[in-house]
Amino acid sequence: MGVLMMSVNAETPAETPAETAAETLDVIYRDEYLIAVHKPSGLLVHRSEIDRHETRFALQIVRDQIGQYVYPVHRLDKPTSGILLMALKKETAQHLTLQFAEQRIHKQYQALVRGFVQAQGYIDHALGRVEDDYDDATTEEKQSAQTRYERVQCFEIPALIERYPVSRFSLVNVFPETGRQHQIRRHFKHIFHPLIGDVRYGRGAYNRYFREHFDCHRLMLACTAMSLQHPVSGELLQLDCPPAAMFADTLKAMQAFVCKPPETGVSA
């Protein structure tokens, strides 16, 4: 079986709020059967009753950009950026949807979280579907949900944000094994390491600090890699997408605060 490896340009993709975004999205991969694009933070994948005021959507932009109908096969939360895969044929959409359902499509995310996390971790915590964006109530029985992660870097900032004179953070690679609603965000909240920039599940004091000191006005979560079996050729397709500008700039600024990971245990 061959391997196809595709990525966006080495230059970090620009990140623009949804209301002023350009009418095209960066294309990571395209053939006659599917297309993968880089979705910016703040852009909905498709119409939603929750965001009725929104008028622009990734599906619409890509449809207009390439001049043909596109089929959604998965979604990214509005504040999450990164790889968004779409099908160009109905049969392809059905094949890819099955791959997602059978957990044969593997996604990798990068996230910045509060506190020091373990070097490696596995979160097994069932989740129900959230009723809307303003309520944590669920409308159905909880489903099993698993997320694996690996710590990449630790940071210590000499700033009192909540209780302590030094504030700690971790950059992690995240590998969700299931695809529940807001899974990564809710799982890291569950282990008391919420994502930076998460206005729903995160901590307001930390979000404000990053807005004021790093000019970071987004959720620090991005889908940076995806691997799947091409639905027609059967080849292994590997997609890569570096984090967008605001995400990358924040991480660059935080390099001044890199610290040695804890030898034992973790710290909030």
Side-chain angles (χ1 to χ4, degrees):
M1 178 183 296
V3 178
L4 298 175
M5 300 184 65
M6 300 297 296
S7 64
V8 296
N9 295 334
E11 180 180 355
T12 302
E15 183 166 24
T16 313
E19 62 270 22
T20 59
E23 291 300 320
T24 61
L25 299 180
D26 290 329
V27 176
I28 300 169
Y29 175 85
R30 180 186 177 186
D31 61 25
E32 62 180 301
Y33 302 102
L34 53 86
I35 184 170
V37 299
H38 179 257
K39 186 192 86 67
S41 175
L43 180 65
L44 283 171
V45 172
H46 47 64
R47 294 185 184 276
S48 169
E49 287 297 315
I50 296 171
D51 291 278
R52 298 179 183 178
H53 64 284
E54 294 289 353
T55 59
R56 299 183 64 258
F57 315 94
L59 287 177
Q60 171 189 316
I61 294 172
V62 175
R63 179 199 66 193
D64 295 343
Q65 180 175 338
I66 67 175
Q68 70 180 95
Y69 190 83
V70 294
Y71 297 84
V73 294
H74 76 115
R75 66 185 298 273
L76 294 175
D77 293 342
K78 180 179 178 181
T80 305
S81 64
I83 300 171
L84 181 64
L85 184 66
M86 306 175 189
L88 301 180
K89 297 179 183 292
K90 184 177 181 179
E91 297 77 11
T92 306
Q94 294 171 341
H95 194 290
L96 291 174
T97 299
L98 181 61
Q99 283 197 54
F100 274 109
E102 295 178 345
Q103 301 177 21
R104 292 188 286 120
I105 294 181
H106 303 287
K107 295 184 288 183
Q108 175 178 320
Y109 291 75
Q110 274 202 338
L112 183 67
V113 304
R114 183 187 70 87
F116 289 164
V117 299
Q118 297 175 346
Q120 296 181 333
Y122 187 79
I123 307 169
D124 186 355
H125 176 65
L127 299 171
R129 181 167 181 80
V130 179
E131 188 168 338
D132 59 45
D133 266 359
Y134 308 100
D135 188 356
D136 281 338
T138 57
T139 58
E140 58 186 40
E141 287 188 14
K142 292 184 177 181
Q143 296 176 297
S144 65
Q146 295 82 33
T147 301
R148 181 170 57 86
Y149 67 86
E150 299 173 351
R151 187 182 65 212
V152 179
Q153 282 184 313
C154 289
F155 309 91
E156 279 191 336
I157 298 178
L160 190 155
I161 298 178
E162 282 190 334
R163 298 171 55 190
Y164 304 104
V166 175
S167 299
R168 294 169 171 173
F169 306 91
S170 299
L171 177 66
V172 291
N173 287 333
V174 186
F175 310 90
E177 296 184 356
T178 51
R180 310 306 179 202
Q181 187 182 25
H182 303 172
Q183 176 172 315
I184 294 173
R185 297 158 63 188
R186 295 165 72 186
H187 268 180
F188 277 90
K189 176 189 177 183
H190 176 69
I191 64 170
F192 306 105
H193 293 286
L195 272 63
I196 301 304
D198 193 338
V199 298
R200 177 168 186 158
Y201 304 106
R203 303 281 279 268
Y206 288 89
N207 297 343
R208 286 191 295 274
Y209 182 88
F210 273 75
R211 288 195 296 268
E212 295 169 1
H213 294 270
F214 293 103
D215 197 24
C216 180
H217 300 263
R218 60 157 292 167
L219 172 69
M220 290 295 284
L221 178 64
C223 182
T224 56
M226 181 183 296
S227 63
L228 63 144
Q229 183 183 38
H230 193 283
V232 177
S233 70
E235 292 182 296
L236 178 63
L237 182 61
Q238 296 182 336
L239 308 175
D240 293 287
C241 179
M246 189 180 295
F247 194 120
D249 290 345
T250 300
L251 292 183
K252 183 177 180 181
M254 291 191 69
Q255 294 307 302
F257 306 104
V258 172
C259 65
K260 184 178 178 181
E263 295 183 1
T264 59
V266 296
S267 171

